[in-house]
Amino acid sequence: MTHLEDRLERFETLTAECELIAKLATDSTKREFYLRLAEQYRQLAGDMRQAIATRAAA
């Protein structure tokens, strides 16, 4: 597994963890925080997928 694939896996894991925490949160402020954080990690994972595809195509 390459460094980029390792980072992708980490971002996907963090996304899932933040979504779970948000689902379990009883405080609406914390729920919103973790949902926003999950979205940021989801975006990073998408960017990483794009970088992997670009590198593979080169």
Side-chain angles (χ1 to χ4, degrees), residues 4-57:
L4 294 178
E5 291 168 333
D6 288 340
R7 299 300 289 174
L8 172 59
E9 184 177 334
R10 182 67 179 142
F11 290 143
E12 289 173 337
T13 300
L14 288 168
T15 300
E17 288 174 355
C18 287
E19 289 173 341
L20 177 61
I21 292 168
K23 187 183 289 188
L24 297 174
T26 56
D27 179 10
S28 63
T29 304
K30 287 184 181 180
R31 185 178 311 115
E32 288 301 316
F33 171 78
Y34 281 104
L35 285 173
R36 285 194 311 271
L37 191 56
E39 183 56 36
Q40 289 293 318
Y41 284 129
R42 189 176 296 108
Q43 180 63 42
L44 288 169
D47 292 346
M48 198 57 57
R49 275 189 212 93
Q50 188 174 25
I52 291 169
T54 300
R55 181 177 251 193

